[in-house]
């Protein structure tokens, strides 16, 4: 190798080493952080499209890092997902969400909670049983909890659904991030889910003048097919009133996004205001 190439290779290896080290350090710090109770749950409302009445809250994890401040999940979930750390993190999230839901349901009995579940967590044998045990421990109706999973997480490598995705587990599923990756409309009727969450990337064109590459026809078709398959449709990332109006016109069931409310810690959530929306 020429001197310049040797230098490039060394440089590349050093970068790789630094990235690996960073990942390892982050993983160690996160383990300690979970033990020290540094994780927080923020909650974002999911409302009826027509009445804007509150139906559920999505639990979204944050890490209150002692020196780096409040970290969004994008900063640590991907690293946690490379090991069983995601299972510990996920267990904490599920328990805290159930504890909080139990508290809120004392005042709002119909309120539901959705919790994101990572593929590795969902695929573990006994996962469904552990969630049912948790629901029983907090005396929660199983219908009060909805697990948000991605399409890939529901199926095993051999194309069969994972244990927790099978009928009879008593768990409610929402298919998250639909419209990213290889989501397939033709398989909708075989999905074991109750809800279909359309990804924000699909919703962005909503309410805009029809353009050549608009995803609006897809959204419209998705709502129709999902309804035929018996699924409720949630639109994620609704930010503008025009988007809301169009989704209402097309029969979308549920709405989530900054237009309604941003994710907030429990003490900052005005549930009463959400149950009785201002006209
Ligand atoms: P997600 O499940 O697709 O969650 C929705 C994300 O979109 C959230 O980001 C939310 O804050 C953001 N969002 C909601 N409405 C709007 C909007 O109107 N406009 C825009 N621009 N964004 C909006 P967040 O909280 O940063 O979460 C990012 C991702 O991290 C989540 O995406 C989810 O995949 C993952 N995540 C969050 N909490 C957990 C958890 O407890 N466990 C696991 N495994 N993953 C989690
Ligand atoms: Ca989600
Ligand atoms: Ca999503
Ligand atoms: Ca998303």
């Amino acid at each position: 190798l020429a001197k310049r190439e040797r230098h490039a290779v060394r440089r590349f290896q050093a970068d790789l080493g630094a990235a690996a080290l960073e990942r390892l350090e982050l993983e160690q710090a996160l383990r300690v952080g979970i033990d020290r109770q540094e994780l927080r749950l923020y909650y974002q409302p999911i409302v009826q499209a027509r009445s804007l009445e509150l139906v559920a809250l999505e639990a979204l994890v944050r890490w209150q890092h002692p020196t780096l401040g409040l970290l969004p999940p994008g900063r640590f979930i991907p690293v946690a997902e490379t090991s069983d750390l995601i299972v510990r993190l996920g267990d904490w999230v599920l328990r805290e969400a159930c504890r909080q839901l139990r508290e809120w349901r004392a005042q709002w009995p119909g309120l539901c909670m959705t919790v994101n579940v990572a593929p590795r967590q969902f695929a573990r044998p006994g996962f469904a049983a552990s969630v049912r045990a948790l629901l029983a421990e907090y005396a929660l109706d199983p219908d009060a909890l909805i697990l948000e999973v991605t399409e890939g997480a529901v199926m095993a490598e051999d194309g069969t659904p994972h244990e927790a995705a099978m009928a009879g587990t008593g768990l409610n599923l929402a298919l998250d991030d639909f419209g990213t990756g290889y989501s397939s409309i033709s398989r909708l009727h075989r999905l074991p889910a109750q809800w279909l969450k359309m990804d924000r990337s699909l919703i962005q064109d909503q309410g805009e003048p029809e353009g050549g590459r608009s995803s609006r026809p897809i959204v419209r078709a998705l709502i129709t097919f999902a309804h035929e398959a018996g699924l409720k449709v949630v639109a994620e990332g609704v930010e503008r009133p025009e988007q809301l109006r169009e989704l209402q016109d097309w029969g979308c069931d549920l709405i989530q996004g900054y237009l309604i409310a941003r994710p907030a810690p429990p003490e900052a959530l005005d549930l009463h205001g959400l149950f009785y929306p201002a006209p």
Side-chain angles (χ1 to χ4, degrees), residues 40-42 44 58-62 72-74 76-78 81 86 89-90 92-94 115-119 121 148 150 176-177 197 199-200 204 236-240 243 256-263:
R40 303 278 178 272
L41 288 186
Y42 276 44
Q44 188 179 31
E58 177 173 3
L60 294 158
V61 71
R62 306 281 182 263
F76 58 92
I77 289 280
E81 278 185 321
I86 192 64
L89 186 151
W92 182 86
V93 168
L94 268 168
V115 175
N116 293 282
V117 178
Q121 191 187 357
E148 297 203 7
T150 52
D176 206 358
D177 298 339
K197 297 193 80 177
D199 193 67
R200 184 164 64 91
Q204 263 154 8
E236 289 188 325
V238 177
E239 295 179 346
R240 291 175 285 111
Q243 292 174 314
Q256 180 177 11
Y258 293 171
L259 179 68
I260 309 296
R262 288 181 180 251

Side-chain angles (χ1 to χ4, degrees), residues 16-276:
L16 266 187
L21 188 65
E22 217 171 88
R23 220 170 30 241
L24 202 68
E25 277 172 1
L26 185 70
E27 203 185 307
Q28 299 296 358
L30 183 55
R31 277 182 205 286
V32 174
I34 296 174
D35 288 341
R36 290 189 184 153
Q37 318 251 20
E38 289 170 5
L39 296 184
R40 303 278 178 272
L41 288 186
Y42 276 44
Y43 298 94
Q44 188 179 31
I46 301 172
V47 301
Q48 296 277 12
R50 296 216 155 265
S51 64
L52 303 188
E53 191 188 342
L54 182 66
V55 171
L57 294 161
E58 177 173 3
L60 294 158
V61 71
R62 306 281 182 263
W63 179 10
Q64 185 65 60
H65 191 282
T67 55
L68 299 176
L70 192 69
L71 300 180
R75 287 281 298 277
F76 58 92
I77 289 280
V79 168
E81 278 185 321
T82 62
S83 76
D84 274 356
L85 189 52
I86 192 64
V87 177
R88 273 189 60 202
L89 186 151
D91 282 349
W92 182 86
V93 168
L94 268 168
R95 175 168 290 277
E96 175 58 15
C98 285
R99 189 201 62 72
Q100 183 66 72
L101 180 60
R102 168 84 190 155
E103 198 180 302
W104 277 331
R105 271 171 72 101
Q107 202 171 354
W108 291 281
L111 186 66
C112 296
M113 177 82 76
T114 81
V115 175
N116 293 282
V117 178
R120 192 195 277 259
Q121 191 187 357
F122 192 74
R124 276 170 77 94
F127 173 73
S130 73
V131 174
R132 282 197 305 266
L134 194 62
L135 288 166
E137 187 183 330
Y138 285 94
L140 284 167
D141 178 349
D143 280 338
L145 182 71
I146 296 152
L147 304 177
E148 297 203 7
V149 291
T150 52
E151 207 176 8
V154 174
M155 298 294 178
E157 234 107 274
D158 60 9
T160 58
H162 280 304
E163 177 195 314
M166 307 226 252
T169 56
L171 302 182
N172 293 309
L173 303 183
L175 210 69
D176 206 358
D177 298 339
F178 198 84
T180 63
Y182 299 96
S183 315
S184 133
I185 283 198
S186 64
R187 281 202 311 245
L188 273 186
H189 65 283
R190 281 194 279 158
L191 287 175
Q194 281 71 34
W195 286 5
L196 185 82
K197 297 193 80 177
M198 291 189 296
D199 193 67
R200 184 164 64 91
S201 57
L202 281 179
I203 303 304
Q204 263 154 8
D205 297 339
Q206 247 15 68
E208 295 283 331
E210 199 79 59
R213 310 212 307 158
S214 166
S215 59
R216 291 166 76 223
I218 299 174
V219 168
R220 195 170 194 167
L222 252 182
I223 294 173
T224 305
F225 280 108
H227 283 166
E228 275 171 21
L231 299 165
K232 285 211 159 126
V233 182
V234 188
E236 289 188 325
V238 177
E239 295 179 346
R240 291 175 285 111
E242 311 86 73
Q243 292 174 314
L244 172 64
R245 261 197 300 278
E246 199 162 76
L247 289 160
Q248 286 171 329
D249 285 347
W250 292 358
C252 183
D253 303 279
L254 300 158
I255 302 288
Q256 180 177 11
Y258 293 171
L259 179 68
I260 309 296
R262 288 181 180 251
E267 63 275 13
L269 268 178
D270 175 19
L271 288 189
H272 194 267
L274 282 159
F275 264 111
Y276 302 100

